Amino acid sequence: MKKSFPLILLTIFLSACNPVKDSDIVLEQEEITTNSDKFEAFIRNLENGKEDKIRIVQRTTEGDPLFDTLDYNGQNITYTYDNSQDKFGGSNTGLESGTCENLESEKSEKGKRYYLTGCSSEIGKYFEFEVLE
């Protein structure tokens, strides 16, 4: 029992330090590595006018998480960019959000590129997500 106690503490500590949730879509080196089905379901829900919300996680070079949240209310998409966990982001870290009318896609060299259009603020123009095929 004594040997497992440090392991339990380490597991609890690492869980508390990891802001990535099991439901997140994780993107590593331009490829979805976790929950690609959630992204596909989000696209179907958009097409059918059904409310849905996803969070996409990418990591900086140093390993800090960057979050892109798309929250569809049946009419518009609220896009939130969160780089508040970026230790090397300087004074430009925090949350920024805006409302966009559409999530559009186009063929790319590697697969399909998704981007937001009809956005109420500049932040929406920075969302780009590519799904490799």
Side-chain angles (χ1 to χ4, degrees):
M1 183 70 175
K2 286 184 179 183
K3 289 182 181 181
S4 65
F5 184 70
L7 180 61
I8 292 170
L9 283 178
L10 179 62
T11 302
I12 292 170
F13 175 74
L14 290 175
S15 297
C17 292
N18 187 0
V20 178
K21 300 175 185 174
D22 289 340
S23 61
D24 288 339
I25 297 166
V26 178
L27 187 65
E28 293 178 14
Q29 297 177 352
E30 298 183 8
E31 187 172 350
I32 297 175
T33 58
T34 306
N35 293 323
S36 62
D37 58 323
K38 292 188 185 292
F39 184 73
E40 293 163 8
F42 182 78
I43 297 300
R44 281 192 306 274
N45 288 335
L46 279 175
E47 292 168 351
N48 295 319
K50 185 178 176 187
E51 294 180 5
D52 200 356
K53 182 177 182 177
I54 58 170
R55 188 168 81 159
I56 300 166
V57 182
Q58 299 182 61
R59 298 222 178 248
T60 65
T61 305
E62 298 82 19
D64 298 328
L66 303 173
F67 303 101
D68 291 301
T69 302
L70 299 175
D71 189 354
Y72 179 61
N73 66 6
Q75 294 182 350
N76 295 313
I77 301 165
T78 300
Y79 168 61
T80 304
Y81 176 72
D82 178 1
N83 66 346
S84 61
Q85 307 272 330
D86 185 358
K87 295 179 191 94
F88 297 94
S91 62
N92 294 327
T93 59
L95 295 171
E96 291 186 65
S97 65
T99 303
C100 301
E101 294 175 9
N102 298 304
L103 177 66
E104 297 190 18
S105 66
E106 64 184 17
K107 282 271 192 201
S108 67
E109 288 183 24
K110 297 178 185 178
K112 194 178 249 187
R113 183 180 74 90
Y114 292 89
Y115 56 96
L116 295 167
T117 60
C119 298
S120 64
S121 69
E122 290 292 311
I123 190 64
K125 294 179 182 178
Y126 296 108
F127 176 81
E128 188 175 300
F129 184 71
E130 189 169 25
V131 175
L132 302 179
E133 293 179 342

